[in-house]
Short mmCIF file of all heavy atoms in Angstrom, two decimals:
data_model
loop_
_atom_site.label_atom_id
_atom_site.label_comp_id
_atom_site.label_asym_id
_atom_site.label_seq_id
_atom_site.Cartn_x
_atom_site.Cartn_y
_atom_site.Cartn_z
N ARG A 1 12.10 -15.04 7.30
CA ARG A 1 12.27 -14.30 8.55
C ARG A 1 12.38 -12.77 8.34
O ARG A 1 11.74 -12.00 9.15
CB ARG A 1 13.39 -14.97 9.34
CG ARG A 1 13.22 -16.29 9.88
CD ARG A 1 14.31 -16.65 11.01
NE ARG A 1 15.60 -16.54 10.41
CZ ARG A 1 16.21 -17.56 9.95
NH1 ARG A 1 15.68 -18.66 9.81
NH2 ARG A 1 17.52 -17.55 9.43
N ALA A 2 13.26 -12.45 7.40
CA ALA A 2 13.34 -10.98 7.08
C ALA A 2 12.15 -10.38 6.66
O ALA A 2 11.80 -9.28 6.95
CB ALA A 2 14.63 -10.95 6.09
N LEU A 3 11.46 -11.06 5.80
CA LEU A 3 10.20 -10.52 5.18
C LEU A 3 9.22 -10.35 6.24
O LEU A 3 8.49 -9.32 6.35
CB LEU A 3 9.68 -11.41 4.10
CG LEU A 3 10.50 -11.36 2.76
CD1 LEU A 3 9.99 -12.54 1.81
CD2 LEU A 3 10.42 -10.04 2.18
N ARG A 4 9.13 -11.16 7.29
CA ARG A 4 8.12 -11.09 8.31
C ARG A 4 8.36 -9.90 9.17
O ARG A 4 7.43 -9.15 9.47
CB ARG A 4 8.15 -12.34 9.26
CG ARG A 4 7.45 -13.54 8.68
CD ARG A 4 7.10 -14.56 9.85
NE ARG A 4 8.34 -15.06 10.40
CZ ARG A 4 9.10 -16.12 9.89
NH1 ARG A 4 8.36 -16.76 8.83
NH2 ARG A 4 10.09 -16.61 10.39
N ALA A 5 9.70 -9.58 9.56
CA ALA A 5 10.16 -8.41 10.14
C ALA A 5 9.79 -7.23 9.32
O ALA A 5 9.23 -6.01 9.84
CB ALA A 5 11.64 -8.42 10.52
N GLY A 6 10.07 -7.31 8.10
CA GLY A 6 9.79 -6.07 7.21
C GLY A 6 8.45 -5.77 7.10
O GLY A 6 8.10 -4.52 7.10
N VAL A 7 7.49 -6.79 7.04
CA VAL A 7 6.15 -6.52 6.88
C VAL A 7 5.65 -5.84 8.10
O VAL A 7 4.82 -4.81 8.05
CB VAL A 7 5.36 -7.84 6.58
CG1 VAL A 7 3.84 -7.68 6.83
CG2 VAL A 7 5.66 -8.35 5.26
N ARG A 8 6.04 -6.17 9.28
CA ARG A 8 5.53 -5.66 10.55
C ARG A 8 5.89 -4.14 10.50
O ARG A 8 5.21 -3.36 11.15
CB ARG A 8 6.06 -6.46 11.71
CG ARG A 8 5.45 -7.79 11.89
CD ARG A 8 5.76 -8.31 13.24
NE ARG A 8 7.24 -8.61 13.47
CZ ARG A 8 7.73 -9.76 13.19
NH1 ARG A 8 7.07 -10.67 12.63
NH2 ARG A 8 9.06 -9.90 13.40
N LEU A 9 7.20 -3.77 10.03
CA LEU A 9 7.69 -2.47 10.32
C LEU A 9 7.33 -1.47 9.11
O LEU A 9 7.61 -0.37 9.27
CB LEU A 9 9.30 -2.63 10.18
CG LEU A 9 9.83 -3.31 11.53
CD1 LEU A 9 11.35 -3.50 11.37
CD2 LEU A 9 9.58 -2.52 12.88
N SER A 10 6.69 -2.01 8.06
CA SER A 10 6.48 -1.12 6.97
C SER A 10 5.12 -0.37 7.15
O SER A 10 4.17 -0.82 7.61
CB SER A 10 6.23 -2.08 5.65
OG SER A 10 7.44 -2.71 5.31
N PRO A 11 5.18 0.88 6.78
CA PRO A 11 3.87 1.75 6.76
C PRO A 11 2.91 1.28 5.75
O PRO A 11 3.31 0.69 4.78
CB PRO A 11 4.45 3.11 6.48
CG PRO A 11 5.58 2.83 5.69
CD PRO A 11 6.23 1.73 6.19
N PRO A 12 1.59 1.44 5.90
CA PRO A 12 0.57 1.04 4.95
C PRO A 12 0.92 1.44 3.47
O PRO A 12 0.60 0.74 2.55
CB PRO A 12 -0.70 1.70 5.45
CG PRO A 12 -0.50 1.78 6.96
CD PRO A 12 1.01 2.26 7.04
N SER A 13 1.46 2.60 3.30
CA SER A 13 1.70 3.06 2.01
C SER A 13 2.63 2.28 1.16
O SER A 13 2.79 2.15 -0.05
CB SER A 13 2.25 4.59 1.95
OG SER A 13 3.45 4.59 2.70
N LEU A 14 3.60 1.55 1.98
CA LEU A 14 4.51 0.61 1.28
C LEU A 14 4.14 -0.84 1.49
O LEU A 14 4.40 -1.66 0.66
CB LEU A 14 5.92 0.67 2.02
CG LEU A 14 6.59 2.05 1.91
CD1 LEU A 14 7.96 2.01 2.50
CD2 LEU A 14 6.67 2.51 0.50
N ARG A 15 3.42 -1.26 2.54
CA ARG A 15 3.05 -2.58 2.86
C ARG A 15 1.97 -3.17 1.89
O ARG A 15 1.96 -4.35 1.61
CB ARG A 15 2.61 -2.71 4.35
CG ARG A 15 2.09 -4.01 4.68
CD ARG A 15 1.91 -4.25 6.26
NE ARG A 15 1.23 -5.46 6.51
CZ ARG A 15 1.02 -5.90 7.72
NH1 ARG A 15 1.33 -5.08 8.81
NH2 ARG A 15 0.40 -7.14 8.02
N TYR A 16 0.98 -2.17 1.57
CA TYR A 16 -0.19 -2.68 0.88
C TYR A 16 -0.19 -2.25 -0.57
O TYR A 16 0.37 -1.27 -1.00
CB TYR A 16 -1.48 -2.14 1.58
CG TYR A 16 -1.68 -2.51 2.97
CD1 TYR A 16 -2.00 -1.51 3.90
CD2 TYR A 16 -1.43 -3.73 3.45
CE1 TYR A 16 -2.11 -1.83 5.26
CE2 TYR A 16 -1.56 -4.19 4.77
CZ TYR A 16 -1.93 -3.15 5.63
OH TYR A 16 -2.03 -3.59 6.93
N TYR A 17 -0.85 -3.11 -1.40
CA TYR A 17 -0.97 -2.83 -2.82
C TYR A 17 -1.64 -1.47 -3.02
O TYR A 17 -2.65 -1.16 -2.27
CB TYR A 17 -1.66 -3.90 -3.52
CG TYR A 17 -0.96 -5.12 -3.88
CD1 TYR A 17 -1.28 -6.34 -3.41
CD2 TYR A 17 0.17 -5.00 -4.73
CE1 TYR A 17 -0.52 -7.43 -3.66
CE2 TYR A 17 1.00 -6.20 -5.07
CZ TYR A 17 0.58 -7.43 -4.48
OH TYR A 17 1.24 -8.53 -4.82
N PRO A 18 -1.25 -0.64 -3.98
CA PRO A 18 -1.94 0.58 -4.35
C PRO A 18 -3.49 0.39 -4.56
O PRO A 18 -4.30 1.23 -4.23
CB PRO A 18 -1.17 1.05 -5.56
CG PRO A 18 0.08 0.58 -5.43
CD PRO A 18 -0.02 -0.76 -4.75
N ALA A 19 -3.71 -0.77 -5.21
CA ALA A 19 -5.14 -0.97 -5.60
C ALA A 19 -6.02 -1.07 -4.31
O ALA A 19 -7.22 -0.63 -4.40
CB ALA A 19 -5.23 -2.31 -6.46
N TYR A 20 -5.43 -1.76 -3.31
CA TYR A 20 -6.22 -1.81 -2.06
C TYR A 20 -6.44 -0.40 -1.37
O TYR A 20 -7.39 -0.04 -0.93
CB TYR A 20 -5.56 -2.66 -1.02
CG TYR A 20 -5.99 -2.51 0.40
CD1 TYR A 20 -7.18 -3.05 0.87
CD2 TYR A 20 -5.21 -1.97 1.34
CE1 TYR A 20 -7.53 -3.01 2.09
CE2 TYR A 20 -5.55 -1.83 2.66
CZ TYR A 20 -6.77 -2.36 3.02
OH TYR A 20 -7.26 -2.25 4.32
N LEU A 21 -5.22 0.38 -1.38
CA LEU A 21 -5.27 1.73 -0.69
C LEU A 21 -6.28 2.63 -1.49
O LEU A 21 -7.12 3.34 -0.88
CB LEU A 21 -3.90 2.37 -0.85
CG LEU A 21 -2.83 1.69 0.07
CD1 LEU A 21 -1.44 2.30 -0.20
CD2 LEU A 21 -3.18 1.50 1.53
N GLU A 22 -6.34 2.41 -2.85
CA GLU A 22 -7.22 3.32 -3.67
C GLU A 22 -8.65 2.81 -3.43
O GLU A 22 -9.62 3.53 -3.40
CB GLU A 22 -6.94 3.25 -5.12
CG GLU A 22 -5.61 3.92 -5.51
CD GLU A 22 -5.20 3.69 -6.93
OE1 GLU A 22 -5.90 3.11 -7.66
OE2 GLU A 22 -4.05 4.00 -7.13
N ALA A 23 -8.90 1.44 -3.16
CA ALA A 23 -10.20 0.97 -2.88
C ALA A 23 -10.72 1.57 -1.49
O ALA A 23 -11.89 1.91 -1.43
CB ALA A 23 -10.27 -0.54 -2.82
N ARG A 24 -9.85 1.63 -0.58
CA ARG A 24 -10.23 2.30 0.61
C ARG A 24 -10.64 3.63 0.59
O ARG A 24 -11.59 4.23 1.15
CB ARG A 24 -9.07 2.09 1.81
CG ARG A 24 -8.88 0.62 2.14
CD ARG A 24 -10.04 -0.07 2.92
NE ARG A 24 -10.71 0.78 3.83
CZ ARG A 24 -10.55 0.31 5.19
NH1 ARG A 24 -9.92 -0.86 5.38
NH2 ARG A 24 -11.22 0.94 6.06
N ARG A 25 -9.83 4.43 -0.25
CA ARG A 25 -10.23 5.83 -0.51
C ARG A 25 -11.63 5.91 -1.13
O ARG A 25 -12.29 6.83 -0.88
CB ARG A 25 -9.07 6.48 -1.39
CG ARG A 25 -7.79 6.76 -0.71
CD ARG A 25 -6.73 7.44 -1.65
NE ARG A 25 -5.63 7.91 -0.92
CZ ARG A 25 -4.44 7.26 -0.77
NH1 ARG A 25 -4.45 5.89 -1.31
NH2 ARG A 25 -3.48 7.61 -0.10
N ARG A 26 -11.79 5.14 -2.15
CA ARG A 26 -13.08 5.16 -2.88
C ARG A 26 -14.28 4.91 -1.90
O ARG A 26 -15.20 5.71 -1.95
CB ARG A 26 -13.08 4.01 -3.98
CG ARG A 26 -14.27 4.05 -4.88
CD ARG A 26 -14.22 2.80 -5.80
NE ARG A 26 -14.33 1.60 -5.09
CZ ARG A 26 -13.35 0.67 -5.30
NH1 ARG A 26 -12.35 0.91 -5.88
NH2 ARG A 26 -13.49 -0.51 -4.70
N ILE A 27 -14.07 3.96 -1.15
CA ILE A 27 -15.17 3.66 -0.10
C ILE A 27 -15.45 4.80 0.80
O ILE A 27 -16.53 5.05 1.27
CB ILE A 27 -14.85 2.32 0.62
CG1 ILE A 27 -14.85 1.20 -0.37
CG2 ILE A 27 -15.98 2.07 1.83
CD1 ILE A 27 -14.45 -0.17 0.23
N GLU A 28 -14.32 5.48 1.27
CA GLU A 28 -14.37 6.53 2.28
C GLU A 28 -14.66 7.82 1.59
O GLU A 28 -14.81 8.83 2.28
CB GLU A 28 -13.09 6.54 2.98
CG GLU A 28 -12.78 5.32 3.88
CD GLU A 28 -11.29 5.26 4.33
OE1 GLU A 28 -10.62 6.23 3.91
OE2 GLU A 28 -11.01 4.20 4.96
N GLY A 29 -14.81 7.76 0.27
CA GLY A 29 -15.15 9.13 -0.50
C GLY A 29 -14.07 9.92 -0.60
O GLY A 29 -14.20 11.27 -0.76
N ARG A 30 -12.77 9.49 -0.47
CA ARG A 30 -11.64 10.42 -0.67
C ARG A 30 -11.06 10.09 -1.94
O ARG A 30 -11.00 9.05 -2.61
CB ARG A 30 -10.52 10.00 0.51
CG ARG A 30 -10.99 10.46 1.87
CD ARG A 30 -9.88 10.31 2.85
NE ARG A 30 -9.63 8.85 3.00
CZ ARG A 30 -8.38 8.27 2.88
NH1 ARG A 30 -7.36 9.02 2.38
NH2 ARG A 30 -8.15 6.98 3.11
N GLU A 31 -10.53 11.25 -2.63
CA GLU A 31 -9.99 11.16 -3.92
C GLU A 31 -8.40 11.11 -3.90
O GLU A 31 -7.84 11.38 -2.89
CB GLU A 31 -10.39 12.31 -4.79
CG GLU A 31 -11.85 12.45 -4.94
CD GLU A 31 -12.43 11.36 -5.83
OE1 GLU A 31 -11.78 10.77 -6.60
OE2 GLU A 31 -13.53 10.97 -5.63
N GLY A 32 -7.78 10.63 -4.96
CA GLY A 32 -6.30 10.67 -4.98
C GLY A 32 -5.72 9.39 -5.03
O GLY A 32 -5.96 8.59 -4.15
N PRO A 33 -4.97 9.07 -6.04
CA PRO A 33 -4.36 7.68 -6.12
C PRO A 33 -3.04 7.58 -5.16
O PRO A 33 -2.62 8.66 -4.81
CB PRO A 33 -3.86 7.53 -7.64
CG PRO A 33 -3.65 9.05 -8.04
CD PRO A 33 -4.67 9.73 -7.28
N ALA A 34 -2.77 6.39 -4.89
CA ALA A 34 -1.57 6.16 -4.08
C ALA A 34 -0.26 6.24 -4.95
O ALA A 34 0.27 5.35 -5.40
CB ALA A 34 -1.62 4.85 -3.34
N VAL A 35 0.24 7.51 -5.16
CA VAL A 35 1.14 7.75 -6.20
C VAL A 35 2.57 7.10 -5.83
O VAL A 35 3.15 6.44 -6.71
CB VAL A 35 1.34 9.29 -6.26
CG1 VAL A 35 2.47 9.47 -7.25
CG2 VAL A 35 0.11 10.01 -6.83
N VAL A 36 2.92 7.23 -4.59
CA VAL A 36 4.24 6.54 -4.20
C VAL A 36 4.16 5.11 -4.31
O VAL A 36 5.05 4.46 -4.79
CB VAL A 36 4.58 7.06 -2.77
CG1 VAL A 36 5.92 6.24 -2.31
CG2 VAL A 36 4.87 8.47 -2.74
N ALA A 37 3.11 4.52 -3.80
CA ALA A 37 2.90 3.03 -3.77
C ALA A 37 2.73 2.60 -5.29
O ALA A 37 3.28 1.57 -5.51
CB ALA A 37 1.73 2.70 -2.98
N ARG A 38 2.09 3.28 -6.13
CA ARG A 38 1.94 2.89 -7.51
C ARG A 38 3.22 2.92 -8.29
O ARG A 38 3.63 2.02 -8.96
CB ARG A 38 0.94 3.89 -8.20
CG ARG A 38 0.80 3.53 -9.69
CD ARG A 38 -0.08 2.20 -9.81
NE ARG A 38 -1.39 2.46 -9.47
CZ ARG A 38 -2.32 1.53 -9.25
NH1 ARG A 38 -2.02 0.25 -9.50
NH2 ARG A 38 -3.59 1.81 -8.92
N TRP A 39 4.09 3.92 -7.85
CA TRP A 39 5.50 3.88 -8.51
C TRP A 39 6.27 2.73 -8.05
O TRP A 39 6.96 1.91 -8.91
CB TRP A 39 6.20 5.12 -8.21
CG TRP A 39 7.62 5.22 -8.64
CD1 TRP A 39 7.93 5.73 -9.90
CD2 TRP A 39 8.89 4.77 -8.04
NE1 TRP A 39 9.23 5.57 -10.09
CE2 TRP A 39 9.88 5.01 -8.96
CE3 TRP A 39 9.01 4.30 -6.72
CZ2 TRP A 39 11.14 4.80 -8.63
CZ3 TRP A 39 10.34 4.01 -6.46
CH2 TRP A 39 11.37 4.19 -7.37
N LEU A 40 6.07 2.34 -6.74
CA LEU A 40 6.91 1.19 -6.15
C LEU A 40 6.39 -0.09 -6.73
O LEU A 40 7.22 -0.97 -7.09
CB LEU A 40 6.79 1.24 -4.71
CG LEU A 40 7.75 2.32 -3.92
CD1 LEU A 40 7.28 2.34 -2.42
CD2 LEU A 40 9.07 2.10 -4.04
N GLU A 41 5.11 -0.22 -6.97
CA GLU A 41 4.62 -1.36 -7.55
C GLU A 41 5.12 -1.46 -8.96
O GLU A 41 5.42 -2.61 -9.42
CB GLU A 41 3.02 -1.27 -7.64
CG GLU A 41 2.26 -2.48 -8.19
CD GLU A 41 0.85 -2.24 -8.33
OE1 GLU A 41 0.19 -2.53 -7.30
OE2 GLU A 41 0.48 -1.76 -9.31
N SER A 42 5.16 -0.44 -9.67
CA SER A 42 5.54 -0.49 -11.12
C SER A 42 7.05 -0.88 -11.08
O SER A 42 7.66 -1.75 -11.89
CB SER A 42 5.48 0.91 -11.76
OG SER A 42 6.05 0.83 -13.03
N ALA A 43 7.96 -0.32 -10.18
CA ALA A 43 9.31 -0.59 -10.03
C ALA A 43 9.55 -2.05 -9.71
O ALA A 43 10.38 -2.77 -10.28
CB ALA A 43 9.99 0.30 -9.05
N ALA A 44 8.68 -2.64 -8.86
CA ALA A 44 8.87 -3.97 -8.48
C ALA A 44 8.46 -4.94 -9.59
O ALA A 44 9.16 -5.96 -9.80
CB ALA A 44 7.93 -4.32 -7.30
#
């Protein structure tokens, strides 16, 4: 229950894997890795 609520309230930078965010940037032609999300993924 808590995770469902947390998912709904989380911004994309925290909710989604960095690999997904970077894939969207790649497709849209934007550069730059998801630095904050990558750090959080490593910490997790």
